[in-house]
């Protein structure tokens, strides 16, 4: 965990209703790239740790994300998928999206902290962390997940490639004013990055490679799934994106949330009076880690 910071249940409180609309989708072809790299055949079990509203399992298109054509979910590559997240709002959103997508019978959603695993969930062929590993007790999680993997299984880490979105060249509308948004958030919440009831003085941690290697994983095999597509956004999409972030989640503003949203919308209208924005979809980076053959305790349950 981050030194000086402790997780609490408010980390993403109130963000679930904004997440699917506000977050940029992963690059099209992500599921196919992972399926090909792992030689998946439509059988086996998937676990998504920190699943949010089901973006990776179901695909952004299933969640109704604007511009998400081709963003299929990983559930199509497995017999069954399980998503765990400590935020009840996220789990509820994922379950509803699974029903809409017609895969409720192949998916299971559990409101659990990662540190509560294995939680009687059994063993898996693939365990995914999509921009969630940094919120966990990483050394503990690496060891736990290794014990939950079936022979030949893999841990898959997914993240947006930094610097891949918001590039202005050739866009049909202005990019959202990220610097101005950041200043406005600081004006309301203070200079330090907020996270639940605490602050992250130095941001979220890195160093995943060393932690996973120490836990008995080898790799990684790296994939880069190209983005670059133009995504058009409206004012509501950009506002939802801000409110979907842990450092500007709705609960942090308390009774001043309406004032913040009003100021945010005014800022956006200064940049684009018509309320239209555009960004380039970021590339998606994938790191695949496999157990190195050392003996570990197995997980219980099926």
């Amino acid at each position: 965990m981050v030194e000086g910071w402790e997780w609490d249940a408010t980390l993403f409180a109130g963000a679930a209703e904004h997440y699917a609309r506000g977050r940029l989708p992963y690059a099209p072809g992500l599921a196919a790239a992972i399926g090909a790299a792992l030689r998946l055949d439509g059988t086996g079990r998937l676990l998504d740790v920190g699943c949010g509203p089901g973006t990776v399992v179901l695909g952004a298109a299933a969640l109704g994300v604007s511009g998400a054509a081709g963003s299929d979910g990983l559930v199509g590559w497995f017999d069954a998928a399980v998503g765990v997240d400590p935020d009840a709002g996220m789990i509820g959103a994922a379950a509803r999206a699974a029903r809409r997508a017609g895969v409720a019978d192949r998916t299971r959603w559990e409101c659990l902290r990662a540190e509560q695993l294995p939680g009687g969930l059994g063993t898996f062929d693939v365990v995914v962390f999509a921009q969630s590993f940094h919120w966990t007790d990483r050394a503990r999680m690496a060891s736990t997940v290794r014990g939950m993997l079936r022979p030949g299984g893999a841990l898959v880490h997914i993240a947006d490639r930094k610097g891949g979105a918001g590039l202005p060249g050739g866009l049909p509308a202005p990019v959202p004013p990220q610097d101005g948004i950041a200043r406005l958030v600081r004006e309301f919440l203070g200079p330090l990055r907020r996270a639940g009831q605490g602050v992250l003085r130095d941001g979220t941690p890195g160093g995943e490679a060393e932690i996973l290697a120490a836990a008995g994983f080898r790799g990684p095999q790296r994939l880069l799934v190209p983005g670059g597509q133009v995504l058009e956004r409206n004012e509501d999409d950009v506002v939802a994106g801000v409110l979907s972030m842990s450092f500007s989640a709705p609960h942090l503003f308390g009774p001043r949330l309406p004032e913040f949203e009003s100021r945010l919308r005014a800022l956006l209208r200064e940049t684009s009076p018509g309320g239209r924005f555009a960004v380039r979809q970021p590339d998606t980076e994938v790191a695949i880690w496999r157990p190195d053959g050392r003996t570990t305790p197995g997980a219980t349950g099926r």
Side-chain angles (χ1 to χ4, degrees), residues 106-180:
R106 296 167 51 209
T107 56
R108 174 180 173 185
W109 310 97
E110 296 286 343
C111 190
L112 292 174
R113 285 193 68 192
E115 289 77 10
Q116 292 175 275
L117 293 173
L121 296 179
T123 56
F124 295 87
D125 299 279
V126 176
V127 177
V128 169
F129 289 86
Q131 303 188 120
S132 59
F133 191 58
H134 58 275
W135 292 122
T136 72
D137 183 336
R138 296 179 298 163
R140 176 178 171 183
M141 281 313 308
S143 177
T144 297
V145 167
R146 192 166 179 273
M148 296 177 71
L149 285 173
R150 294 172 173 175
L155 183 156
V156 178
H157 187 273
I158 300 171
D160 288 331
R161 185 183 185 189
K162 302 304 181 187
L167 302 177
L171 293 177
V175 299
Q178 297 298 344
D179 290 344

Side-chain angles (χ1 to χ4, degrees), residues 184-220:
L184 184 63
V185 170
R186 290 193 297 269
E187 178 184 334
F188 276 76
L189 301 181
L192 298 178
R193 174 173 170 164
R194 299 287 296 276
Q197 299 303 304
V199 297
L200 294 174
R201 294 181 179 277
D202 299 310
T204 55
E208 287 87 357
E210 293 81 0
I211 291 168
L212 290 167
F217 285 91
R218 58 181 170 82

Side-chain angles (χ1 to χ4, degrees), residues 21-49:
R21 179 168 196 166
R23 292 294 181 104
L24 297 180
Y26 290 115
L30 173 63
I34 293 173
L38 296 178
R39 298 181 180 179
L40 301 176
D41 61 4
T43 65
R45 301 183 76 217
L46 167 70
L47 174 64
D48 184 358
V49 183

